[in-house]
Amino acid sequence: MKAALTKSAAPIRRIHPIAGTIALLTIASFWLATVTAEIWGSAATVALVKTAIPWGFLLLVPALAVTGGSGMALAKGGQAGGGLVARKRRRMAIVAANGMLVLIPSALFLAARAGAGRFDTGFVFVQAIELVAGAVNLTLLCLNLRDGIRMARGRKALPSG
């Protein structure tokens, strides 16, 4: 039975880190593109970046869904990783709430404003909130990546019998 569980989890163990890495890199690219455009770009560059980001949700949302679903599947059947699993779950709850309540609405607001050429105080205020919330999510996802690597190393160290 143990071998069957391990075998059935093998594809999930491959998919989970790939989807997580895609999500992390997508969020990082949003954040870095925003900061770069704001520091060195013109208003047209900022508008291009801010209107492109919602299109990136077409990659990000499925990557996060696959990461979350595969993570829950891997965590089933016990406390693989011990407290690391609980920490990863808590972080992901914050990441999800932050994304749905702050980041997605902010990105849509900023895209609409940038598309209309309205770089006013409201734009700057929401942009600042978005950058902070994005940095929080990047930090939490990096911590989850670190803990996922620790968990994977722990699995490899377990005896196979």
Side-chain angles (χ1 to χ4, degrees):
M1 177 76 174
K2 188 176 183 180
L5 286 174
T6 303
K7 227 176 202 181
S8 68
I12 296 171
R13 285 193 182 124
R14 283 192 286 276
I15 291 168
H16 181 72
I18 292 168
T21 300
I22 290 169
L24 178 62
L25 292 175
T26 302
I27 293 168
S29 71
F30 292 170
W31 199 90
L32 289 171
T34 296
V35 170
T36 302
E38 289 289 346
I39 293 172
W40 292 292
S42 63
T45 303
V46 172
L48 177 67
V49 168
K50 298 319 293 180
T51 56
I53 286 174
W55 288 103
F57 295 161
L58 296 173
L59 175 63
L60 178 60
V61 171
L64 286 170
V66 169
T67 303
S70 60
M72 287 194 290
L74 288 171
K76 269 188 190 173
Q79 281 290 3
L84 294 178
V85 171
R87 277 189 263 167
K88 286 182 69 150
R89 280 187 179 149
R90 280 193 302 271
R91 287 186 202 123
M92 284 311 297
I94 295 167
V95 166
N98 194 12
M100 290 176 33
L101 300 174
V102 178
L103 292 169
I104 288 176
S106 295
L108 296 174
F109 172 86
L110 293 168
R113 287 285 177 103
R118 292 186 59 197
F119 301 104
D120 55 7
T121 304
F123 181 92
V124 172
F125 180 72
V126 173
Q127 179 74 35
I129 291 169
E130 183 190 49
L131 287 170
V132 170
V136 167
N137 272 12
L138 281 170
T139 300
L140 294 174
L141 289 169
C142 285
L143 291 170
N144 274 6
L145 175 64
R146 179 202 63 194
D147 288 347
I149 290 168
R150 286 179 179 167
M151 291 166 65
R153 282 187 187 142
R155 272 195 310 273
K156 289 176 187 167
L158 293 176
S160 59

